[in-house]
Amino acid sequence: MASAAPGLSDPAPVPIPDGALDPTVEAPEPLGLSTSLEGATGTVEVTVRLAEPSIAESVTDGALAEGKAPSKGVQKAKKDKVAGQQKAFAAQAKKLGVTELGSTQLAANLVAVSVDASKLDDLAALPNVISVTPIARYETHSSTSADPAESGSLAQAIEYVEAAALHDDGYDGSGVRVAVLDSGIDYTHANLGGPGDVDFYNTCFAGASAPVTGACADYFGPGAPKVKGGWDFVGDAWPNGAVVEDANPIDAPGVAPWNGGHGTHVADIIGGRSADGTHLGIAPGADLYAVKVCSSVATSCNGVAMLQGLDWSLDPNGDGDISDAVDIVNMSLGSSYGQDQDDSSFAAANLVHAGIVVVASAGNSADRPFIVGSPSSAPGVISVAQTALPDDLQWVITTDRGITINRSVHQSWSPQPDGVISAPLVRPTDAGGVGCSEGAFSADTAGKIALISRGTCNVSDKALFAQKAGAIAAIIYNNVAGDAPSFSFGSAEPVTIPTLTITQASGIELVTALSSGPVVATIDPATAISLANTMVGTSSRGVTVTDNRAKPDIGAPGAWLSAETATGDEETNFGGTSGAAPVVSGAAALLIDKFSSATPAEIKARLLNAADSSNTTPTATGFDVTPISRIGAGEVRVAPAAAAVGWLAGPDGAGNVGFGIPSVTGVYETTIEASITNTSNKNEKYSFDVSFRDPADEASGAVSVRVTPSGGVVPKGKTQKLKVHLKIDGSKLADWPFDNVGSNGDGTTLNAPEFDGWITATGAGESLQLGWTVLPRKAAEVTAPDSAKVKNGEASLRIANKSRVAAGPVDIFGLTGTSPQLPATDAGSPGSNAAVIDLAATGVRESGSVLQFAMATYERRTVLTYPAEFDVYIDTDNDGTDDYVLYNAEAGGFAATGQSIIYVVDLSAGTQAAYYYNIGGFDSSTQVFTVPTAALGLTAGQTFGFSVYAFDNYFTGALTDAIEGQSYTVGSPKYTPVGSTVLEPRENLTLPVSVADVDGTSETGLLLLYGSAAEDDWGTVVIE
């Protein structure tokens, strides 16, 4: 095997530890196999975006809120243009055998169709077609259980978020119209003004596929007490059956394992009010509209229905005039790793532009880098993180071996400890100690505390099996890095023993201690710590994948007790960011009640300005102030938002100030515009200040942020522009730690490299805040010539690092293939529901017993997992038939771990294995696949053929580019050296390159990958 040349080091790929992958989680099939390299076949469902802008795109910003909607005649003319274009398209598409599934004309100019895949190119070629993309699917963001132990009442929520003061002042959301895009609403529930009778619900649900009539119509429609209207865009069978629209969006009863009733919970939190007035939601006067876009039998939400629901929200009565648009849209749903190409994000941003406040949950994918979901990631949309309930507790576990665990999380479907629990720990006896059967717990379990690993089966089942064996409590430790999670209940019987979860690290520590003798654990309620105004571990972290936008925007407690569908008057626990978003929607309704002409930007800014920024995150040693990329501006507080006379607005629809991931090779400076508006009837003087979340960040001197002007008088009723200046001294930054993040699914690794804090405007007797955040890269700037000439069997390559502050890692591969840049198209643009992965170059190198394949593209991606999949098809014996395929995928499945691993599939045997994590960085355009040479059956001197294919693995699954017909000879690289080196700041390196006479290889030079790179993070050198 070839080895690194003198002065170069061998690479150090990160192997996947034994037991790191859950064997019960089936690995995804590589897209090259699942879609075939020729693309999809059979009937496919797609959305077609047409050229004429919709009315929501065309109106002035905030027009609806400010009462500046165009005249009915202008609106009709615009809609007629869109409708005419859609009609012409439909006539032409019909000739291709297209079946129309639905369309939107107000939020966006889109037509959803089903068509034979062989006709997709013809469809895209029709006049006025901007893009043709597959229909997306989303998931609700809830965590539900039947036990109220840790839930707070909505009465407590009203007090905690300071909504009560507005109620007392006469602002309860009356007249504010809120569309709940969800699974429907049980309008018969007592909390929503219904009679609260199960038999009555059953009668109304029996007519779920027809317009609401009879006594049921007393509780749905314009004259109803709470739910004033709506539409069902999916029916009750999808996704197990066909989509069937109807006029009755009643929420369905739960069907195991789906608890159901998601939309009813959300509606109650936003604006519940019982007939007797004893039960209230955050904005009890608000009118609710049930827009059913999510399944009755699963967590899935239909992509076409989502678009139609957003369209409906602009014009509920369907007369083409958007002056009757709702004021707020709530979407407690989404898709992790949110991307601007998502068409629901595009449509949601259009609604905000038109003047509708859109609130969406950030997601429940935990503290993982850049995982915040769409459509909450869209500009202008209010993205909501989840915080703890005010009476939640963090439970402390101590042991007689000196181990103390401060970060255990009580599972709400189990009872809280009501006294001291102290007993020896005992492990299940099944493989991995996962406790997935009654037989896994021996008779020795009785009277002890079961210590169980997560994995293989439902967490509540583990506790149940331990309970049946006589355990007095259960402690379940995570099987991936990150916070201790909360889990939904999924068992057939109740769990009656206290059940806590802990981190993977804490679990391993306890297991290690047990290996050397007994361990007695103690759980004492007296040592429990309040979690009020702290982050919930499952809440998704930002910043966004696209444009690295500062998201989430704000946090709110979830997990409130709220209406359970089909129960008459019962309440159950409802959590996740699905339960947090409606708190903010309710708060927005109260503000709109007071400020009836406020734009979405003003409502969002007021909420962010008044948020409580003292939110903290539990850690192993205590509590740290929560990063902006997790909580946004802070935890929602309504009263100060309503009392403020000024509002401080950042970019992106008044959001927090995000500076992204700038590369710093010396001193970096940039400016973002902000503004302050004085709504009072007198001039007000404000001063502006900037603070840091972590005092150590400020003390480092690496980053400075200031506002100009630093203060001044803002005239009454006027807006003053501000500039937020960022300056970064790269010499004072720590080295960039994110060049190799395949194994990194832990968002806390961003905490130190991120710099963040708050911008504060002080004046008029108030203090207004916005968050700011930046993730600066101490960057190298390595360059090399495009070509080198051979003389006497050797070429000379001069590599230079121009950066004044950062060392530049360089990884050298044999260049085996290149591809020209693809021509620009609308695919990959906002709303296109497509990503384009544009291959530039590929290369190969060896190190010891492994082969490495390098891929470089023309575009950078924030994370390794999405939206790019690379498939390397290998023909080991050059017989024209591929024998193996390597491909990247997220360990554990979509949004499960944030880790990117490389699978190796034996195509003849139909088996697969994973040996190494993917190699690549955050915000990079390169990936490196590592595979044991022996796993491919290759030996020294053997020449093999291979091809590399690039796929969009987030939206379409489509093949977007390829480099085919490559070859390499094991142990005989044509060009040496290959390996890794590092250039210090401003260092030049002359690298002699030996050229060997090797037959059968496609190598034409060297592919260089540059770590910590400012601009180009790869280069090719053709050796002539």
Side-chain angles (χ1 to χ4, degrees):
M1 296 291 180
S3 61
L8 274 69
S9 61
D10 287 321
V14 181
I16 300 171
D18 291 341
L21 301 182
D22 187 341
T24 66
V25 176
E26 186 175 351
E29 194 173 45
L31 289 172
L33 294 178
S34 60
T35 62
S36 86
L37 298 183
E38 292 72 38
T41 58
T43 301
V44 294
E45 295 183 347
V46 296
T47 55
V48 180
R49 184 177 169 195
L50 301 177
E52 183 66 31
S54 68
I55 187 68
E57 297 172 77
S58 305
V59 297
T60 58
D61 193 23
L64 288 171
E66 295 179 325
K68 297 178 181 178
S71 67
K72 290 185 178 181
V74 171
Q75 290 188 55
K76 183 178 185 302
K78 170 56 71 174
K79 187 175 181 182
D80 286 349
K81 276 189 175 182
V82 172
Q85 196 172 78
Q86 291 187 358
K87 184 177 180 180
F89 164 78
Q92 294 166 318
K94 188 175 181 180
K95 300 173 184 177
L96 301 176
V98 164
T99 300
E100 184 171 334
L101 303 174
S103 65
T104 64
Q105 297 180 344
L106 303 175
N109 186 357
L110 297 170
V111 182
V113 302
S114 62
V115 61
D116 190 274
S118 65
K119 301 293 185 181
L120 286 174
D121 288 342
D122 296 332
L123 192 68
L126 292 178
N128 296 311
V129 171
I130 298 296
S131 62
V132 177
T133 54
I135 292 170
R137 183 179 293 187
Y138 306 84
E139 300 292 327
T140 52
H141 285 158
S142 67
S143 173
T144 59
S145 74
D147 192 286
E150 287 189 308
S151 275
S153 68
L154 288 180
Q156 181 189 39
I158 290 167
E159 293 292 335
Y160 183 69
V161 303
E162 301 182 25
L166 274 81
H167 294 184
D168 293 342
D169 289 342
Y171 302 111
D172 66 355
S174 291
V176 179
R177 293 146 48 93
V178 185
V180 181
L181 271 63
D182 215 294
S183 64
I185 300 176
D186 176 5
Y187 44 79
T188 75
H189 197 283
N191 286 12
L192 294 161
D197 181 84
V198 174
D199 289 338
F200 187 80
Y201 166 83
N202 290 335
T203 298
C204 296
F205 185 70
S209 60
V212 183
T213 58
C216 299
D218 293 338
Y219 301 97
F220 177 82
K226 179 53 61 178
V227 185
K228 301 292 186 177
W231 192 262
D232 182 351
F233 287 100
V234 290
D236 292 312
W238 181 86
N240 299 332
V243 169
V244 180
E245 290 188 38
D246 61 67
N248 188 352
I250 190 169
D251 209 351
V255 178
W258 167 231
N259 291 320
H262 192 275
T264 299
H265 283 291
V266 169
D268 189 19
I269 295 169
I270 294 171
R273 172 179 268 158
S274 59
D276 61 7
T278 59
H279 172 85
L280 302 175
I282 302 296
D287 296 333
L288 301 179
Y289 292 81
V291 184
K292 187 173 179 181
V293 300
C294 300
S295 173
S296 295
V297 295
T299 60
S300 300
C301 303
N302 183 281
V304 174
M306 287 263 297
L307 296 169
Q308 292 174 314
L310 291 167
D311 212 52
W312 185 95
S313 300
L314 276 164
D315 183 22
N317 67 9
D319 67 353
D321 179 1
I322 64 172
S323 60
D324 65 326
V326 301
D327 301 295
I328 299 170
V329 167
N330 186 95
M331 293 186 285
S332 290
L333 47 83
S335 181
S336 296
Y337 300 105
Q339 326 240 341
D340 281 2
Q341 294 92 339
D342 183 297
D343 53 9
S344 73
S345 293
F346 176 74
N350 286 343
L351 261 68
V352 174
H353 173 74
I356 297 174
V357 174
V358 179
V359 179
S361 50
N364 300 335
S365 295
D367 190 359
R368 308 198 190 286
F370 312 104
I371 204 167
V372 63
S374 56
S376 88
S377 55
V381 173
I382 302 175
S383 175
V384 185
Q386 185 192 2
T387 58
L389 292 180
D391 54 2
D392 278 354
L393 298 172
Q394 178 172 280
W395 295 83
V396 178
I397 302 170
T398 59
T399 71
D400 63 347
R401 301 281 290 276
I403 299 170
T404 298
I405 299 169
N406 291 314
R407 301 175 64 189
S408 64
V409 175
H410 174 251
Q411 301 303 296
S412 61
W413 35 260
S414 74
Q416 290 190 5
D418 57 6
V420 176
I421 299 174
S422 188
L425 294 175
V426 62
R427 297 273 287 139
T429 58
D430 55 356
V434 294
C436 283
S437 67
E438 291 186 45
F441 296 90
S442 67
D444 189 46
T445 304
K448 295 182 179 179
I449 299 173
L451 177 64
I452 312 167
S453 172
R454 176 187 178 187
T456 305
C457 63
N458 192 291
V459 165
S460 60
D461 281 343
K462 299 171 185 286
L464 182 62
F465 295 143
Q467 170 186 308
K468 290 186 173 184
I472 60 174
I475 299 172
I476 299 168
Y477 64 92
N478 208 352
N479 59 354
V480 295
D483 292 335
S486 295
F487 294 95
S488 298
F489 184 74
S491 301
E493 302 174 42
V495 173
T496 59
I497 59 172
T499 302
L500 308 177
T501 57
I502 59 176
T503 65
Q504 181 184 44
S506 294
I508 292 172
E509 187 176 17
L510 291 176
V511 170
T512 301
L514 271 172
S515 67
S516 62
V519 176
V520 175
T522 300
I523 306 167
D524 184 353
T527 63
I529 303 166
S530 173
L531 289 175
N533 199 7
T534 63
M535 282 304 298
V536 169
T538 51
S539 188
S540 291
R541 184 178 190 131
V543 294
T544 61
V545 166
T546 306
D547 290 342
N548 306 134
R549 199 172 294 122
K551 295 276 184 168
D553 293 297
I554 196 168
W560 302 106
L561 277 169
S562 48
E564 175 70 15
T565 189
T567 64
D569 60 1
E570 294 181 13
E571 299 174 334
T572 52
N573 173 272
F574 180 77
T577 54
S578 278
V583 174
V584 174
S585 288
L590 298 178
L591 294 182
I592 292 174
D593 189 7
K594 182 172 181 179
F595 307 104
S596 59
S597 61
T599 63
E602 178 177 350
I603 297 300
K604 181 174 181 177
R606 284 182 174 275
L607 289 168
L608 271 58
N609 292 168
D612 186 339
S613 61
S614 64
N615 184 270
T616 59
T617 298
T619 70
T621 56
F623 293 84
D624 290 342
V625 179
T626 303
I628 302 301
S629 58
R630 290 218 71 201
I631 185 63
E635 190 177 64
V636 65
R637 296 290 185 268
V638 192
V645 299
W647 51 281
L648 178 65
D652 292 330
N656 296 300
V657 177
F659 290 101
I661 309 177
S663 293
V664 185
T665 59
V667 174
Y668 173 91
E669 296 186 71
T670 192
T671 300
I672 285 179
E673 286 196 352
S675 65
I676 186 164
T677 299
N678 175 13
T679 66
S680 75
N681 58 6
K682 64 176 183 177
N683 297 344
E684 299 287 0
K685 185 176 182 179
Y686 286 91
S687 62
F688 305 100
D689 188 34
V690 176
S691 58
F692 286 72
R693 172 180 60 90
D694 185 349
D697 286 348
E698 184 174 19
S700 74
V703 172
S704 63
V705 181
R706 61 188 176 90
V707 178
T708 58
S710 60
V713 174
V714 182
K716 59 183 180 182
K718 298 296 183 180
T719 296
Q720 180 174 309
K721 295 293 185 182
L722 306 171
K723 290 187 176 180
V724 184
H725 303 268
L726 171 72
K727 184 176 182 179
I728 304 174
D729 183 346
S731 67
K732 296 179 180 178
L733 290 173
D735 290 340
W736 178 249
F738 300 126
D739 280 335
N740 187 358
V741 297
S743 62
N744 184 0
D746 184 1
T748 63
T749 59
L750 293 171
N751 290 355
E754 281 181 339
F755 289 75
D756 56 1
W758 299 272
I759 300 165
T760 305
T762 305
E766 62 194 18
S767 179
L768 313 173
Q769 287 190 329
L770 284 176
W772 66 269
T773 183
V774 63
L775 178 60
R777 172 177 25 227
K778 185 177 183 177
E781 192 173 359
V782 177
T783 60
D786 295 333
S787 63
K789 292 192 177 294
V790 178
K791 185 177 181 179
N792 298 323
E794 188 174 276
S796 180
L797 182 62
R798 188 170 178 81
I799 308 174
N801 178 13
K802 298 178 182 179
S803 173
R804 299 191 300 274
V805 298
V810 181
D811 283 280
I812 306 172
F813 295 78
L815 174 65
T816 52
T818 59
S819 174
Q821 190 164 7
L822 296 171
T825 67
D826 288 306
S829 63
S832 65
N833 252 30
V836 176
I837 316 304
D838 190 356
L839 275 168
T842 52
V844 179
R845 73 179 179 189
E846 299 169 68
S847 176
S849 61
V850 301
L851 272 172
Q852 291 188 310
F853 296 84
M855 280 70 64
T857 63
Y858 289 103
E859 73 287 335
R860 287 196 177 202
R861 291 166 298 279
T862 301
V863 293
L864 295 179
T865 43
Y866 308 100
E869 176 181 313
F870 300 99
D871 290 7
V872 182
Y873 279 80
I874 301 171
D875 181 1
T876 56
D877 53 9
N878 283 315
D879 65 352
T881 300
D882 292 321
D883 301 294
Y884 295 89
V885 59
L886 317 180
Y887 66 102
N888 58 298
E890 185 173 4
F894 181 71
T897 63
Q899 298 172 321
S900 179
I901 59 176
I902 306 306
Y903 282 104
V904 183
V905 179
D906 183 331
L907 294 171
S908 61
T911 59
Q912 65 183 39
Y915 303 95
Y916 290 94
Y917 289 103
N918 198 352
I919 298 175
F922 293 143
D923 186 37
S924 71
S925 59
T926 68
Q927 296 189 21
V928 176
F929 292 3
T930 306
V931 59
T933 308
L936 302 178
L938 293 170
T939 58
Q942 189 171 348
T943 300
F944 64 90
F946 70 99
S947 297
V948 178
Y949 301 92
F951 294 88
D952 167 4
N953 70 344
Y954 189 86
F955 294 104
T956 67
L959 174 70
T960 67
D961 204 359
I963 302 177
E964 299 178 300
Q966 302 173 76
S967 57
Y968 183 81
T969 301
V970 178
S972 300
K974 186 172 184 178
Y975 305 102
T976 54
V978 293
S980 304
T981 190
V982 176
L983 274 70
E984 295 303 318
R986 295 193 169 185
E987 181 184 3
N988 297 320
L989 171 68
T990 299
L991 189 69
V993 179
S994 298
V995 182
D997 185 12
V998 181
D999 293 329
T1001 180
S1002 65
E1003 293 166 275
T1004 59
L1006 297 176
L1007 171 60
L1008 310 181
L1009 306 189
Y1010 307 136
S1012 307
E1015 298 293 337
D1016 298 328
D1017 58 354
W1018 59 270
T1020 59
V1021 182
V1022 175
I1023 298 179
E1024 301 169 325

